[in-house]
Amino acid sequence: MAKRFSAILQLVLLLAVGYAIQMAMDAELINRYYAHVMTIMAIFVVGAVSLNLINGICGQFSLGHAGFMAVGAYTAAIITKNPDLILPAIFTGNIRFILATLLGGMMAALVGFMVGLPSLRLRGDYLAIVTLGFGEIIRILLLNWDFVGGASGYFGLARHTNFFAAFLLSIITITIIRNFIQSSHGRACISIREDEIAAETMGVPTTRYKVIAFVIASFFAGTAGSMMAHLTQMVTPASFTFILSIELLLMVVLGGLGSISGSIGAAIFLTYAAEALRAFRAYRMILYSLLLIFIMLFRPKGLLGNQELSLSLLRESFKNLRARWRRKKKDGITAAAE
Amino acid sequence: MAVLETTNLTIRFGGLTAVSKFNIALEEGELVGLIGPNGAGKTTAFNMLTGVYQPSEGTIAFCDAPLCSATKALQPFQITRRGIARTFQNIRLFKELSVLDNVKIAYHQNVKYGLLPAFLHTAQYQTEEVEIEEKALEFLKIFSLDTKKAEKAKNLPYGEQRRLEIARALATNPKLLLLDEPAAGMNPQETQQLMELINFIRKQFSLTILLIEHDMALVMGVCERIYVLDYGKIIAHGTPAEIRRNPKVIEAYLGEEVAHA
């Protein structure tokens, strides 16, 4: 009970901090540009953490996360822009936006279910191929759908997303996915990553859990898409290319496959890096590839491996460092004595 | 009552018949060995019994209910839930998970709470998780692995990994346990301990056990009956004493050494 109480207290405190930052932004204490970047960071946290559920926790390999963001973004955009389409007109303003975001997520989850069910029954790299194809199919469908503006995109959305909305969504995503991982259902997903055949013989219905993880991740990707759409106030097929999927994948791999805190850190860092290196934007993909190669060479499990960043982990590594330093010093002394 | 009964179990991979007309029957509480030279099809037979492979022909009945027939075949996880557990020849632990979590996964099949309680960590989640943790810890104690509960499975010494795999299989609460070369890579002393462990769990959990093994001392020592497989066919079956004397078995597998022993 005490544990539960402190968890809730933590959440409340976090949200209070988020809200305070939002107030500072509204009072223009924080530069508009930084406010925008911070909001994008929070959205990318949602994208990366949800992708980690598929690639890191469940051990499957999805390359189509941008596709699910696109489904969510367009669904939500259609709902908020057409006051009497899909949702009745009594829902207006932010309420309509929240419902639209939820529906966008659900639509993405539904599409995720349809894509995942046939491809996740197979073992191996089929999912990567299917999701890669799926992402492109979605983009090309949107490119040719005149109702949502085709190639030029869907414009004139109201600006519903502010920092606090994106922050709130990222906290909800992190909490739900973390809770899921700690549950028996989450353990079932991890066992699939570790050894699919053994998981099956331990009584885990592997296909079902792969689909569940895929659908949950698709849902959050859809909500992130909606947030993005209502931040930039437009959606174009060009904002959901394969490159976006790769960027999200890079965040997951850099942070550590299976580490939620790693994904959060990497999402924040890479969004910041992309902004800081805006002048070299043309070389971005080269940098990404180099970064991926370096991770694979020197830190194949990602920065955090599959551990979570916590105080005890920090204490542990600090102790290790100190022990190593002491040993070195001692070695130095004995070497000098000889 | 026969716990496990197979009739004419056959599997073909392309033109190769890996196992043909495999007929065995296990009575409740028996400890039966399955031996044979390398590549005879022992592990393939296990894979059919646990649903990893679908047999090309034949039926499997478990406690008089069909697991696999011409019309339907159960998935491996469904077979586990019916009460067949197994270990693997080349240990298949969840390497990156703790010893405790390895056992906890076996209890997943009993979990009643759904996804929503998992997302929100409701009271139902809390009580069930506490229960699972207690049960898993109790189990580790039986196998004297409780002192290493937080260790990653891959960091355990080889013998303990084997023990953990058996513990994990037993945690699924099986009636029938299939052990695939449990003594592989063990020294004589460890094999001796393993024999004691097998006899212990058999009584403790009132199990029926089918055992694949190359270590003749172990097989002859603990098994009541033995089936001998060669080139996918059962060539002999009987008590250890009978098997030792069977000329076909001596020719196919045991060789001079055991014949003189």
Side-chain angles (χ1 to χ4, degrees), chain B residues 170-198:
Chain B
L170 285 177
T172 62
N173 193 22
K175 293 192 201 80
L176 171 65
L177 179 65
L178 310 176
L179 297 171
D180 197 345
E181 294 201 26
M186 284 187 174
N187 61 33
Q189 192 199 348
E190 284 171 328
T191 307
Q192 184 61 36
Q193 285 171 353
L194 181 76
M195 274 167 75
E196 283 158 22
L197 180 71
I198 290 174

Short mmCIF file of all heavy atoms in Angstrom, two decimals, chain B residues 170-198:
data_model
loop_
_atom_site.label_atom_id
_atom_site.label_comp_id
_atom_site.label_asym_id
_atom_site.label_seq_id
_atom_site.Cartn_x
_atom_site.Cartn_y
_atom_site.Cartn_z
N LEU B 170 9.11 -28.03 -13.84
CA LEU B 170 8.21 -28.57 -12.81
C LEU B 170 7.24 -27.51 -12.31
O LEU B 170 6.15 -27.84 -11.86
CB LEU B 170 9.02 -29.12 -11.64
CG LEU B 170 9.70 -30.45 -11.93
CD1 LEU B 170 10.53 -30.86 -10.74
CD2 LEU B 170 8.66 -31.51 -12.23
N ALA B 171 7.63 -26.25 -12.39
CA ALA B 171 6.76 -25.19 -11.90
C ALA B 171 5.49 -25.06 -12.74
O ALA B 171 4.51 -24.48 -12.30
CB ALA B 171 7.50 -23.86 -11.87
N THR B 172 5.51 -25.60 -13.96
CA THR B 172 4.28 -25.57 -14.76
C THR B 172 3.28 -26.62 -14.27
O THR B 172 2.22 -26.75 -14.84
CB THR B 172 4.56 -25.83 -16.26
OG1 THR B 172 5.12 -27.15 -16.40
CG2 THR B 172 5.51 -24.82 -16.84
N ASN B 173 3.66 -27.36 -13.22
CA ASN B 173 2.79 -28.35 -12.59
C ASN B 173 2.38 -29.48 -13.55
O ASN B 173 1.21 -29.70 -13.81
CB ASN B 173 1.54 -27.66 -12.04
CG ASN B 173 0.77 -28.57 -11.12
OD1 ASN B 173 1.34 -29.53 -10.59
ND2 ASN B 173 -0.51 -28.32 -10.97
N PRO B 174 3.39 -30.19 -14.08
CA PRO B 174 3.08 -31.23 -15.06
C PRO B 174 2.73 -32.57 -14.43
O PRO B 174 3.05 -32.81 -13.26
CB PRO B 174 4.40 -31.35 -15.81
CG PRO B 174 5.44 -31.03 -14.80
CD PRO B 174 4.82 -30.05 -13.84
N LYS B 175 2.09 -33.43 -15.24
CA LYS B 175 1.90 -34.82 -14.83
C LYS B 175 3.02 -35.66 -15.44
O LYS B 175 3.42 -36.67 -14.90
CB LYS B 175 0.56 -35.34 -15.35
CG LYS B 175 -0.64 -34.68 -14.71
CD LYS B 175 -1.89 -35.47 -15.07
CE LYS B 175 -3.15 -34.64 -14.93
NZ LYS B 175 -3.40 -33.76 -16.08
N LEU B 176 3.45 -35.21 -16.62
CA LEU B 176 4.48 -35.94 -17.34
C LEU B 176 5.66 -35.00 -17.60
O LEU B 176 5.48 -33.88 -18.05
CB LEU B 176 3.92 -36.44 -18.68
CG LEU B 176 4.91 -37.04 -19.67
CD1 LEU B 176 5.51 -38.32 -19.11
CD2 LEU B 176 4.22 -37.32 -21.00
N LEU B 177 6.85 -35.47 -17.27
CA LEU B 177 8.04 -34.65 -17.48
C LEU B 177 8.94 -35.33 -18.51
O LEU B 177 9.24 -36.52 -18.39
CB LEU B 177 8.78 -34.48 -16.15
CG LEU B 177 10.08 -33.67 -16.19
CD1 LEU B 177 9.81 -32.23 -16.57
CD2 LEU B 177 10.80 -33.72 -14.85
N LEU B 178 9.33 -34.59 -19.52
CA LEU B 178 10.24 -35.13 -20.53
C LEU B 178 11.61 -34.49 -20.32
O LEU B 178 11.75 -33.27 -20.39
CB LEU B 178 9.74 -34.80 -21.95
CG LEU B 178 8.29 -35.13 -22.27
CD1 LEU B 178 7.93 -34.66 -23.67
CD2 LEU B 178 8.03 -36.62 -22.14
N LEU B 179 12.62 -35.32 -20.05
CA LEU B 179 13.95 -34.79 -19.81
C LEU B 179 14.85 -35.17 -20.99
O LEU B 179 15.02 -36.35 -21.28
CB LEU B 179 14.54 -35.35 -18.52
CG LEU B 179 13.82 -35.01 -17.23
CD1 LEU B 179 14.39 -35.82 -16.07
CD2 LEU B 179 13.94 -33.52 -16.93
N ASP B 180 15.41 -34.16 -21.66
CA ASP B 180 16.23 -34.42 -22.83
C ASP B 180 17.70 -34.31 -22.44
O ASP B 180 18.22 -33.21 -22.28
CB ASP B 180 15.87 -33.43 -23.94
CG ASP B 180 16.39 -33.89 -25.29
OD1 ASP B 180 17.24 -34.80 -25.32
OD2 ASP B 180 15.94 -33.33 -26.31
N GLU B 181 18.35 -35.41 -22.28
CA GLU B 181 19.75 -35.49 -21.88
C GLU B 181 20.11 -34.60 -20.70
O GLU B 181 20.95 -33.71 -20.82
CB GLU B 181 20.66 -35.15 -23.07
CG GLU B 181 20.54 -36.18 -24.17
CD GLU B 181 21.73 -36.19 -25.11
OE1 GLU B 181 22.82 -35.78 -24.67
OE2 GLU B 181 21.56 -36.59 -26.25
N PRO B 182 19.50 -34.84 -19.56
CA PRO B 182 19.78 -33.96 -18.41
C PRO B 182 21.21 -34.08 -17.90
O PRO B 182 21.71 -33.15 -17.28
CB PRO B 182 18.79 -34.45 -17.35
CG PRO B 182 18.43 -35.83 -17.74
CD PRO B 182 18.51 -35.89 -19.22
N ALA B 183 21.88 -35.19 -18.18
CA ALA B 183 23.24 -35.36 -17.63
C ALA B 183 24.32 -34.96 -18.62
O ALA B 183 25.51 -35.11 -18.33
CB ALA B 183 23.44 -36.80 -17.18
N ALA B 184 23.91 -34.44 -19.80
CA ALA B 184 24.92 -34.08 -20.80
C ALA B 184 25.90 -33.07 -20.21
O ALA B 184 25.48 -32.07 -19.62
CB ALA B 184 24.25 -33.52 -22.03
N GLY B 185 27.17 -33.35 -20.33
CA GLY B 185 28.19 -32.41 -19.88
C GLY B 185 28.44 -32.42 -18.39
O GLY B 185 29.13 -31.56 -17.86
N MET B 186 27.86 -33.40 -17.69
CA MET B 186 28.09 -33.44 -16.24
C MET B 186 29.17 -34.47 -15.89
O MET B 186 29.31 -35.48 -16.59
CB MET B 186 26.80 -33.85 -15.53
CG MET B 186 25.78 -32.74 -15.46
SD MET B 186 24.39 -33.24 -14.45
CE MET B 186 23.48 -31.71 -14.39
N ASN B 187 29.88 -34.23 -14.81
CA ASN B 187 30.85 -35.22 -14.37
C ASN B 187 30.14 -36.29 -13.55
O ASN B 187 28.99 -36.12 -13.16
CB ASN B 187 31.99 -34.54 -13.60
CG ASN B 187 31.51 -33.84 -12.36
OD1 ASN B 187 30.56 -34.30 -11.73
ND2 ASN B 187 32.15 -32.75 -12.00
N PRO B 188 30.79 -37.44 -13.28
CA PRO B 188 30.12 -38.55 -12.60
C PRO B 188 29.46 -38.14 -11.29
O PRO B 188 28.36 -38.59 -10.97
CB PRO B 188 31.26 -39.55 -12.35
CG PRO B 188 32.25 -39.25 -13.39
CD PRO B 188 32.17 -37.78 -13.66
N GLN B 189 30.13 -37.25 -10.57
CA GLN B 189 29.57 -36.85 -9.28
C GLN B 189 28.28 -36.06 -9.48
O GLN B 189 27.27 -36.29 -8.79
CB GLN B 189 30.61 -36.01 -8.54
CG GLN B 189 30.25 -35.78 -7.10
CD GLN B 189 31.03 -34.60 -6.54
OE1 GLN B 189 31.99 -34.11 -7.18
NE2 GLN B 189 30.64 -34.15 -5.38
N GLU B 190 28.30 -35.15 -10.44
CA GLU B 190 27.10 -34.37 -10.72
C GLU B 190 25.98 -35.27 -11.23
O GLU B 190 24.81 -35.07 -10.91
CB GLU B 190 27.41 -33.28 -11.77
CG GLU B 190 28.18 -32.11 -11.22
CD GLU B 190 28.67 -31.17 -12.31
OE1 GLU B 190 28.97 -31.62 -13.44
OE2 GLU B 190 28.76 -29.97 -12.04
N THR B 191 26.36 -36.27 -12.05
CA THR B 191 25.36 -37.21 -12.56
C THR B 191 24.70 -37.97 -11.41
O THR B 191 23.49 -38.17 -11.40
CB THR B 191 26.02 -38.21 -13.53
OG1 THR B 191 26.72 -37.47 -14.52
CG2 THR B 191 24.99 -39.09 -14.20
N GLN B 192 25.52 -38.34 -10.44
CA GLN B 192 25.01 -39.03 -9.26
C GLN B 192 23.96 -38.17 -8.54
O GLN B 192 22.87 -38.63 -8.21
CB GLN B 192 26.18 -39.36 -8.32
CG GLN B 192 25.80 -40.16 -7.10
CD GLN B 192 25.22 -41.52 -7.49
OE1 GLN B 192 25.66 -42.13 -8.48
NE2 GLN B 192 24.23 -41.97 -6.75
N GLN B 193 24.32 -36.87 -8.37
CA GLN B 193 23.38 -35.95 -7.71
C GLN B 193 22.09 -35.82 -8.51
O GLN B 193 21.00 -35.74 -7.97
CB GLN B 193 24.03 -34.57 -7.56
CG GLN B 193 25.06 -34.52 -6.45
CD GLN B 193 25.82 -33.21 -6.47
OE1 GLN B 193 25.67 -32.39 -7.38
NE2 GLN B 193 26.65 -33.01 -5.46
N LEU B 194 22.27 -35.80 -9.85
CA LEU B 194 21.12 -35.67 -10.72
C LEU B 194 20.18 -36.86 -10.56
O LEU B 194 18.96 -36.71 -10.50
CB LEU B 194 21.57 -35.54 -12.17
CG LEU B 194 20.45 -35.38 -13.19
CD1 LEU B 194 19.89 -33.97 -13.15
CD2 LEU B 194 20.93 -35.69 -14.60
N MET B 195 20.77 -38.06 -10.48
CA MET B 195 19.96 -39.26 -10.29
C MET B 195 19.13 -39.16 -9.02
O MET B 195 17.93 -39.47 -9.01
CB MET B 195 20.86 -40.51 -10.20
CG MET B 195 21.22 -41.09 -11.54
SD MET B 195 22.55 -42.29 -11.41
CE MET B 195 21.71 -43.68 -10.71
N GLU B 196 19.78 -38.68 -7.96
CA GLU B 196 19.06 -38.50 -6.70
C GLU B 196 17.93 -37.48 -6.87
O GLU B 196 16.82 -37.67 -6.38
CB GLU B 196 20.02 -38.05 -5.60
CG GLU B 196 20.86 -39.20 -5.07
CD GLU B 196 22.13 -38.73 -4.39
OE1 GLU B 196 22.18 -37.55 -3.96
OE2 GLU B 196 23.08 -39.53 -4.30
N LEU B 197 18.24 -36.41 -7.59
CA LEU B 197 17.25 -35.36 -7.79
C LEU B 197 16.05 -35.90 -8.57
O LEU B 197 14.89 -35.65 -8.22
CB LEU B 197 17.88 -34.19 -8.56
CG LEU B 197 16.95 -33.02 -8.85
CD1 LEU B 197 16.62 -32.26 -7.58
CD2 LEU B 197 17.56 -32.07 -9.87
N ILE B 198 16.34 -36.68 -9.61
CA ILE B 198 15.24 -37.23 -10.42
C ILE B 198 14.36 -38.14 -9.57
O ILE B 198 13.13 -38.05 -9.61
CB ILE B 198 15.80 -37.98 -11.65
CG1 ILE B 198 16.41 -36.99 -12.64
CG2 ILE B 198 14.70 -38.79 -12.34
CD1 ILE B 198 17.12 -37.62 -13.80
#
